[in-house]
Amino acid sequence: MSQTSDAQPAAAVTEIQAGAFDRPRCRRDGTSACEGCGVRAFSVCGSLATDELDALNTMSEKAHFAAKETLFLQGDRADFVFNITSGTLRLYKLLPDGRRQIVGFLLPGDFVGLSLSERYGFSADAIDAVSACRFDRSDFVAFVDRKPHLLRRLHEAATHELTVAQDHMVLLGRRSAEEKVSSFLLTMRERLHRLGASAVTIPLPMTRQDLADHLGLTLETVSRIVSKLAREKVLLVVPDGLRIMNPSRLEQIGAS
């Protein structure tokens, strides 16, 4: 986890370079790329049968974004939806006074861009190299209308996101700085465990400034809390992340 702040994203979406979008191809055994996708089991498309995946596969483009590249900006037309297959996204809103509020981080398997509004309500950029399946929004909506089981899966995902948003509101308004940082790390541990990653070392590609903007804290406060937990041997700072040395203590703080 870097201790420095990222530069603000560009004012407009960078034009996609040639080759940044590729149509998925069938494998030599005739199966589609969807069937071998590493995030299928915990993504919304996990509810689809093989023939339905084939239909979805023909609608998708494989999108690749370099670190710090913008997928879309707040207020842009919501023409596309994305299913993240690798990397980490940062979602944020710019306040009228220019401050940035990070509303969340997306991991592989997360879905972004599908809403009732015709325009994106927040901006999204890649923290590290990101790959995603990109779908034309109108085509995807038409596909979902024909697949009630996929609609249920999307509804479940939206309900979960609403719960997470409500929990985050409580986190911002009613908890101490130490509780905020600890709770965030525990949440990341749970999400990474769901992806099959280690529950001990938490890779954090985002900067400490990102964490501060997400938790409603200052960069100095986040650094002070991490240093304090490291001195108490609750955490160990490792390259690009944190290792949980005392899970029970971290859970105790986070659940306060």
Side-chain angles (χ1 to χ4, degrees), residues 224-244:
R224 175 173 56 81
I225 295 301
V226 170
S227 297
K228 178 178 181 292
L229 294 174
R231 286 196 307 271
E232 295 174 355
K233 301 191 185 306
V234 178
L235 302 174
L236 176 65
V237 179
V238 297
D240 300 320
L242 296 170
R243 182 170 299 159
I244 301 176

Side-chain angles (χ1 to χ4, degrees), residues 157-170:
T159 301
H160 174 71
E161 289 177 6
L162 178 59
T163 300
V164 170
Q166 292 170 336
D167 289 344
H168 190 62
M169 289 174 63
V170 174

Side-chain angles (χ1 to χ4, degrees), residues 20-41:
F21 291 100
D22 306 306
R23 285 289 182 184
R25 298 177 174 83
C26 290
R27 302 176 186 276
R28 290 183 178 179
D29 61 2
T31 62
S32 70
C34 288
E35 291 185 88
C37 176
V39 302
R40 178 188 172 193

Side-chain angles (χ1 to χ4, degrees), residues 107 181-204 235 242-252:
L107 302 177
V181 173
S182 299
S183 180
F184 172 80
L185 293 175
L186 291 170
T187 298
M188 284 295 294
R189 182 184 67 170
E190 292 172 5
R191 295 178 68 186
L192 291 167
H193 180 71
R194 178 170 167 264
L195 295 174
S198 168
V200 177
T201 299
I202 304 175
L204 296 174
L235 302 174
L242 296 170
R243 182 170 299 159
I244 301 176
M245 307 300 292
N246 190 338
S248 59
R249 177 56 182 156
L250 189 66
E251 291 165 4
Q252 183 182 32

